[in-house]
Amino acid sequence: PTPRAGPFTIGRQRPVRTGPRRWVLAVTDRPRLPQWILVCWASPWSLVGLLFGLLALATGGRGQTQGHCLEFHGGILPLLLKTLPIAGGASAITLGHAVLGRSCQDLDRCRAHETVHVRQYERWGVLFVPAYILSSLYVWSRGGDPYRDNPVEREAFAAGGD
């Protein structure tokens, strides 16, 4: 599927027909900076994710690399992710270039979705979490679901399902 454009996308956009009389802006290409710059830009949140990953490892969890991301699962993470303010908790969460999941199966199932969040962190860097929270508050104030209707999540759901 063609990635949908939104307030959290960068790149050239073109109209794409998604149904009868329905058009969206789709990102056709994205300017890329060297990977090391993107990693540095997202590094404050990656360090937070790494701390949670180390906590998972210290409590019996596991870690692995996937592309340029570190993934952690198990240990204390299922308990922590279950308590997030989303119905039923979260299966996985991304903090910079660190992805935290309840289990290896959850990471596999959510990988495409979480990869979109990694790219969003690369674009927004340290501003990503404040922008996410403000966007959720705005959506909630307009009567929407602060998670499902958040433009950040809508982009991730469009590209990667769960």
Side-chain angles (χ1 to χ4, degrees):
T2 306
R4 289 183 54 178
F8 293 88
T9 57
I10 299 174
R12 292 189 190 155
Q13 300 172 1
R14 64 179 175 80
V16 172
R17 187 179 205 135
T18 59
R21 292 190 276 193
R22 180 158 162 79
W23 293 80
V24 297
L25 289 177
V27 177
T28 56
D29 63 9
R30 293 189 173 117
R32 293 293 291 183
L33 295 170
Q35 188 63 41
W36 69 270
I37 292 176
L38 300 175
V39 169
C40 289
W41 179 226
S43 66
W45 290 110
S46 299
L47 289 174
V48 173
L50 181 60
L51 290 175
F52 279 106
L54 293 174
L55 181 61
L57 294 175
T59 57
R62 308 276 316 237
Q64 61 194 29
T65 60
Q66 184 69 35
H68 58 276
C69 295
L70 295 173
E71 294 184 339
F72 299 95
H73 60 88
I76 196 161
L77 292 178
L79 177 65
L80 294 176
L81 292 171
K82 193 183 330 182
T83 62
L84 287 177
I86 302 169
S91 297
I93 188 171
T94 301
L95 293 168
H97 288 90
V99 181
L100 312 172
R102 289 187 187 189
S103 68
C104 189
Q105 293 79 14
D106 285 328
L107 288 173
D108 290 340
R109 184 173 49 80
C110 298
R111 187 165 289 121
H113 179 101
E114 300 304 327
T115 299
V116 172
H117 290 318
V118 170
R119 288 194 310 264
Q120 291 167 337
Y121 272 100
E122 289 176 349
R123 287 193 298 271
W124 285 81
V126 295
L127 303 175
F128 178 80
V129 171
Y132 186 101
I133 292 169
L134 289 173
S135 180
S136 289
L137 289 172
Y138 176 76
V139 166
W140 177 73
S141 74
R142 310 268 304 170
D145 183 306
Y147 175 67
R148 294 273 177 195
D149 296 330
N150 186 319
V152 173
E153 293 298 340
R154 285 197 336 230
E155 182 183 354
F157 282 121
D162 277 345

